[in-house]
C-alpha cells in the first residue's frame, strides 16, 4: 500500500468512527414510534451517508467528485431538515436540475452515460476528466470498503464475545 | 453465536488460520481497554484512540480475505453454511433484496478480493513495464541505445508520462541516425508504435521529421503528423484527446480486476460493473453496522426507562459478557430475557438489539426447516438449533416469545 493510500485510510477511519459514534450514542430517534424495520433502515442509510461523506472529506476537495458528493450531501441534509417526511422529494427540484442532468447523461452513448451516473459529479465532466476521476474514485471506494469491513468485523465479534 | 463459529472455523475449516487467532486476540485486548472505560461514551478515549485506529487498520490489513464475506452476503444465505468463508457474515441477509445483477457482480469480483488484488497494483505495473521493455529492446536493435527506452515510455504511457516526452524523443532518434522512427508514434496505444509501419516510409520523411524534431526540441509544441494524416489543429487536438483517454484507460485497467480486455467498450463495462459492485458493498456493509444496538439492552437490565444513557452502558454489557462467555447457553438465556423485555416496550429496539448480536427473529416453521436442512450438511450439530454457520442464528426461544 502506498503512503498516500495509508494516509487516506487513516483519515477516513478516524472520520468514519467519529460519525459512527455520533450516530450510535445520542439516539433521539429511537424514542419516536416507528416500525421496527424502518428504524434499522433509517440507521443504515445514515451510516451509508456518513461513510460517503467522511470518505469525501478524507480524500480532499481538490477532486471534482468529492466536491460533487459533498454538495449533494449538503442539499440532501437541507431537504431532510425542512421536509416532514424525509423520503419526500419536492417535485420542483426534481424537475429542474436532476432530471435534466440524468437525461443528458443517459442520452450520451450508453456506457459513458452509465459511468457518469455512477461517479458523483460525472455528468459535468468530459471524457478524459471522467476517467481520471473514476480512477481516484475507485481507489477511495476500495479503501472505504476495506475499512468498513474491518469495523464491521470488529463490532460483530466484540458485541458477541 | 459468533464466537463459537469463529472457534470452529479456526479449528480447521478456514484456510487463513494464522490471521484469525491474532484477530481475536487483538479484539480481546481492545475489549479490556474498553472494559475499564465504561463510564465514558463508547469512545476510544484520546489516549487509546490511536490504539483503536491501529487495531482496526491492522485487522484491515491482515485480513483482506474477509472482505469476501461482504460479497458472500449477496449470495443465498443458506448456500454457504458449510463453507468456511461464511463465518464472517452478519445476519443482514434478511434486509437484502435478492437481485440477480448484484449476485453477478459479487461472483465476478469475489475472487479478486480473496486474493487481496488491490495491493498488487504496483507489482503489476512494474512487471508490465519490464516485459514490454524487453520486447521493444529486442525489436529496436538498430536504434540508438538511449533512444529505445524512451520509445517504449512513449508507447505505453501510464499516468506519469508527460506529453513533452513525445516531442523530445524524435530529437534523440533523429540524432541517432533516423533509421528507425518509432518515436513518431507519439504514445499511440501499446504495440502500435510506428516501429513496424514507419521504417519503410520513413526515408522521405526523415529529413522532414528531423526538421520538425529540431523545432520540437526547441520547446515549441509543434506536432509532426504521421504520413497520411491531416495536420490541421482540430484533428491534432482530437488525437491528443484520444491519447489522453487511452492513457487514463490504461491506469484504470490496473485498478480494476479482470482488466485483460483489449476492447475499450468492454473495458468500460468492466469499470462500470466494478464501481457498481463497490457501491453495493458499501450499502451492504452499512446495513451490518453494529455498536449501537448494544446500547439499548443494558438499559432494560438496569431498569432504566430513558434511553439517553445508551452510550454509557455499552461497555457494561460488553464487559460482563466475557464472564458468561464460557457457555453459549447461559448468554443465550440472558439474550432471550433481554429481548423479551425489549419486545414489551418497543419492537424497534428489540430488532436493533438482535441485529447487534447477529441474530434474527423468524417463524418456528422456518427455523425447523433450516435446522433440518443444515443437519444434513454438518455432522456436528448438538447446538444446531442455536447456531448455524455464524451468518444466521436460529433462536429456540422464538417458540416461547413469538406473539
Amino acid at each position: 500500500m502506498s503512503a498516500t493510500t495509508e494516509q487516506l485510510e487513516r483519515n477516513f477511519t478516524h472520520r468514519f468512527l467519529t460519525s459512527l459514534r455520533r450516530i450510535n450514542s445520542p439516539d433521539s430517534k429511537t424514542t419516536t414510534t416507528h416500525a421496527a424495520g424502518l428504524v434499522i433502515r433509517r440507521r443504515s442509510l445514515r451510516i451509508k451517508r456518513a461513510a460517503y461523506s467522511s470518505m469525501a472529506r478524507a480524500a480532499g476537495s481538490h477532486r471534482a467528485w468529492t466536491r460533487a458528493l459533498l454538495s449533494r450531501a449538503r442539499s440532501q441534509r437541507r431537504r431532510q431538515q425542512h421536509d416532514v417526511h424525509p423520503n419526500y422529494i419536492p417535485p420542483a427540484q426534481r424537475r429542474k436540475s436532476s432530471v435534466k442532468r440524468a437525461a443528458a447523461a443517459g442520452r450520451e452513448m450508453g456506457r459513458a452515460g452509465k459511468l457518469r451516473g455512477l461517479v458523483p459529479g460525472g455528468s459535468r465532466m468530459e471524457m478524459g476528466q471522467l476517467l481520471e476521476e473514476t480512477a481516484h474514485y475507485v481507489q477511495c471506494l476500495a479503501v472505504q470498503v476495506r475499512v468498513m469491513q474491518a469495523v464491521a468485523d470488529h463490532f460483530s465479534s466484540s458485541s458477541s464475545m | 453465536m459468533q464466537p463459537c463459529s469463529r472457534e470452529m472455523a479456526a479449528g480447521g475449516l478456514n484456510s487463513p488460520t494464522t490471521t484469525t487467532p491474532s484477530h481475536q486476540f487483538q479484539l480481546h485486548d481492545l475489549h479490556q481497554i474498553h472494559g475499564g472505560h465504561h463510564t465514558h461514551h463508547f469512545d476510544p478515549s484520546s489516549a487509546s484512540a490511536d490504539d483503536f485506529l491501529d487495531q482496526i487498520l491492522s485487522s484491515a490489513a491482515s485480513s483482506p480475505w474477509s472482505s469476501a464475506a461482504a460479497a458472500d452476503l449477496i449470495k443465498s444465505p443458506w448456500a454457504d453454511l458449510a463453507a468456511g468463508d461464511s463465518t464472517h457474515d452478519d445476519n443482514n441477509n434478511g434486509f437484502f433484496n435478492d437481485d440477480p445483477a448484484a449476485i453477478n457482480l459479487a461472483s465476478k469480483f469475489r475472487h479478486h478480493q480473496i486474493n487481496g488484488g488491490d495491493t498488487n497494483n504496483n507489482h503489476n505495473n512494474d512487471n508490465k513495464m519490464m516485459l514490454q521493455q524487453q520486447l521493444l529492446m529486442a525489436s529496436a536493435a538498430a536504434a540508438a541505445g538511449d533512444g529505445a527506452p524512451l520509445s517504449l515510455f512513449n508507447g505505453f504511457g501510464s499516468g506519469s508520462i508527460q506529453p513533452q516526452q513525445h516531442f523530445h524523443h524524435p530529437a534523440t532518434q533523429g540524432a541517432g541516425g533516423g533509421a528507425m522512427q518509432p518515436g513518431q508514434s507519439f504514445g499511440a496505444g501499446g504495440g502500435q508504435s510506428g516501429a513496424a509501419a514507419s521504417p519503410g516510409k520513413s526515408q522521405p520523411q526523415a529529413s522532414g521529421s528531423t526538421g520538425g524534431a529540431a523545432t520540437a526540441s526547441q520547446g515549441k509544441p509543434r506536432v509532426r503528423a504521421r504520413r497520411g494524416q491531416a495536420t490541421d489543429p482540430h484533428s491534432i487536438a482530437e488525437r491528443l484527446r484520444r491519447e489522453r483517454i487511452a492513457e487514463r484507460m490504461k491506469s484504470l485497467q490496473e485498478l480494476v480486476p479482470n482488466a485483460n480486455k483489449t476492447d475499450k467498450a468492454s473495458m468500460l463495462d468492466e469499470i462500470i460493473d466494478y464501481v457498481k459492485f463497490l457501491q453495493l458493498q458499501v450499502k451492504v456493509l452499512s446495513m451490518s453496522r453494529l455498536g449501537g444496538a448494544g446500547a439499548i439492552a443494558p438499559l432494560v437490565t438496569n431498569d432504566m426507562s430513558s434511553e439517553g444513557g445508551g452510550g454509557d452502558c455499552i461497555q457494561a454489557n460488553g464487559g460482563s459478557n466475557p464472564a458468561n462467555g464460557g457457555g453459549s447457553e447461559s448468554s443465550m438465556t440472558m439474550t432471550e430475557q433481554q429481548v423479551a423485555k425489549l419486545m414489551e416496550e418497543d419492537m424497534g429496539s428489540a430488532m436493533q438489539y438482535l441485529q447487534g448480536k447477529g441474530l434474527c427473529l423468524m417463524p418456528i416453521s422456518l427455523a425447523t426447516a433450516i435446522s433440518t436442512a443444515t443437519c444434513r450438511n454438518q455432522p456436528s450439530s448438538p447446538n444446531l438449533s442455536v447456531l448455524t454457520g455464524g451468518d444466521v442464528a436460529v433462536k429456540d426461544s422464538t417458540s416461547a416469545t413469538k406473539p
Side-chain angles (χ1 to χ4, degrees):
Chain A
M1 241 195 316
S2 75
T4 46
T5 321
E6 279 201 26
Q7 186 190 18
L8 178 72
E9 197 166 299
R10 276 191 176 269
N11 203 341
F12 168 67
T13 315
H14 184 69
R15 287 180 199 269
F16 182 55
L17 290 174
T18 313
S19 34
L20 254 192
R21 204 187 319 145
R22 211 177 341 132
I23 291 178
N24 282 337
S25 343
D27 242 351
S28 55
K29 294 249 179 198
T30 52
T31 55
T32 59
T33 52
H34 278 130
L38 195 59
V39 172
I40 297 179
R41 182 160 183 272
R42 180 94 33 87
R43 182 159 172 268
S44 70
L45 283 176
R46 288 172 78 184
I47 291 174
K48 185 175 82 160
R49 276 202 304 261
Y52 278 121
S53 300
S54 17
M55 177 44 91
R57 291 219 171 81
S61 58
H62 59 274
R63 282 281 164 188
W65 67 266
T66 60
R67 293 193 292 267
L69 209 154
L70 285 173
S71 73
R72 194 201 296 173
R74 239 177 292 139
S75 61
Q76 266 185 354
R77 227 180 330 169
R78 241 176 268 137
R79 248 185 282 146
Q80 252 200 354
Q81 286 163 359
H82 289 171
D83 291 343
V84 179
H85 194 309
N87 290 335
Y88 172 74
I89 302 177
Q93 191 154 10
R94 203 200 312 150
R95 223 179 296 131
K96 261 183 233 161
S97 46
S98 49
V99 170
K100 203 196 302 176
R101 219 175 295 140
R107 227 187 295 129
E108 151 110 47
M109 296 176 297
R111 297 175 176 90
K114 272 192 220 166
L115 191 56
R116 281 178 212 267
L118 287 175
V119 176
S123 47
R124 295 204 202 146
M125 312 171 191
E126 48 100 23
M127 196 57 182
Q129 191 191 4
L130 177 68
L131 289 178
E132 190 180 337
E133 297 284 326
T134 309
H136 190 253
Y137 184 55
V138 161
Q139 259 183 332
C140 294
L141 271 182
V143 167
Q144 186 174 352
V145 163
R146 189 163 50 213
V147 170
M148 284 173 85
Q149 179 71 59
V151 173
D153 283 346
H154 174 262
F155 275 131
S156 70
S157 62
S158 71
S159 73
S160 48
M161 266 183 188
Chain B
M1 298 265 246
Q2 287 283 52
C4 296
S5 69
R6 271 178 194 257
E7 280 151 20
M8 275 169 57
L13 290 179
N14 253 348
S15 38
T17 50
T18 49
T19 59
T20 322
S22 64
H23 194 63
Q24 284 180 324
F25 177 70
Q26 288 171 346
L27 296 168
H28 214 52
D29 232 8
L30 186 58
H31 211 55
Q32 283 160 10
I33 293 176
H34 283 315
H37 288 280
H38 63 271
T39 50
H40 296 278
H41 280 287
F42 175 62
D43 166 16
S45 62
S46 54
S48 59
D50 286 342
D51 294 344
F52 188 61
L53 272 182
D54 283 339
Q55 302 281 3
I56 298 286
L57 289 177
S58 54
S59 57
S62 66
S63 55
W65 52 270
S66 66
S67 51
D72 276 340
L73 298 173
I74 301 170
K75 293 189 182 169
S76 155
W78 324 124
D80 286 330
L81 283 177
D85 278 348
S86 61
T87 52
H88 284 277
D89 283 352
D90 299 323
N91 72 326
N92 44 12
N93 295 315
F95 299 109
F96 191 79
N97 307 321
D98 273 356
D99 182 5
I103 295 175
N104 291 341
L105 286 177
S107 49
K108 208 161 68 151
F109 291 116
R110 197 185 133 198
H111 70 280
H112 165 72
Q113 288 207 313
I114 292 178
N115 299 332
D118 284 350
T119 57
N120 292 339
N121 270 347
N122 298 332
H123 302 300
N124 283 346
N125 219 340
D126 296 339
N127 288 343
K128 245 201 287 191
M129 292 298 273
M130 292 292 293
L131 194 58
Q132 289 162 346
Q133 193 170 14
Q134 286 164 7
L135 273 175
L136 260 193
M137 279 291 213
S139 65
D146 54 344
L150 276 184
S151 76
L152 69 89
F153 277 117
N154 207 1
F156 310 107
S158 353
S160 55
I161 304 303
Q162 307 298 325
Q164 283 85 358
Q165 287 195 9
H166 298 180
F167 307 122
H168 288 309
H169 173 70
T172 52
Q173 281 292 328
M180 294 274 296
Q181 305 285 342
Q184 300 215 325
S185 68
F186 289 111
Q192 296 166 13
S193 60
S198 44
K201 311 168 190 163
S202 65
Q203 297 317 316
Q205 259 194 323
S207 49
S209 60
T210 38
T215 55
S217 64
Q218 287 160 14
K220 222 199 306 183
R222 183 120 187 283
V223 177
R224 199 71 204 176
R226 267 197 295 250
R227 178 186 165 100
Q229 287 197 353
T231 52
D232 63 296
H234 295 295
S235 52
I236 290 175
E238 186 61 33
R239 195 162 5 112
L240 279 178
R241 175 180 168 268
R242 258 181 275 134
E243 283 157 11
R244 252 181 93 215
I245 290 180
E247 249 176 62
R248 305 273 163 78
M249 292 282 288
K250 278 238 160 3
S251 59
L252 261 178
Q253 224 173 11
E254 283 139 26
L255 283 177
V256 176
N258 298 329
N260 45 6
K261 313 284 193 300
T262 47
D263 182 20
K264 192 166 99 158
S266 50
M267 194 57 221
L268 263 181
D269 278 337
E270 199 63 38
I271 293 170
I272 288 172
D273 280 344
Y274 190 53
V275 171
K276 275 200 250 187
F277 168 66
L278 287 177
Q279 287 177 340
L280 187 62
Q281 272 199 310
V282 170
K283 181 161 102 165
V284 165
L285 280 172
S286 71
M287 284 193 225
S288 76
R289 196 60 58 208
L290 310 169
I296 303 167
L299 300 174
V300 179
T301 57
N302 295 339
D303 273 338
M304 279 164 63
S305 51
S306 77
E307 304 184 19
D312 294 354
C313 299
I314 287 182
Q315 297 319 311
N317 191 21
S320 62
N321 266 343
N324 304 335
S328 61
E329 281 97 14
S330 54
S331 52
M332 188 58 94
T333 326
M334 195 180 74
T335 309
E336 290 173 14
Q337 292 168 355
Q338 284 183 348
V339 169
K341 280 184 206 161
L342 278 171
M343 283 205 286
E344 290 164 21
E345 304 180 3
D346 171 24
M347 208 48 206
S349 52
M351 298 280 285
Q352 273 195 341
Y353 176 62
L354 280 178
Q355 187 197 21
K357 290 262 174 204
L359 302 171
C360 69
L361 209 58
M362 64 175 64
I364 303 170
S365 49
L366 188 55
T368 43
I370 294 169
S371 65
T372 46
T374 46
C375 247
R376 267 181 261 121
N377 291 346
Q378 284 183 357
S380 62
S381 57
N383 289 337
L384 201 54
S385 55
V386 173
L387 159 71
T388 53
D391 58 347
V392 168
V394 177
K395 295 178 60 179
D396 269 350
S397 65
T398 50
S399 57
T401 56
K402 182 167 160 50

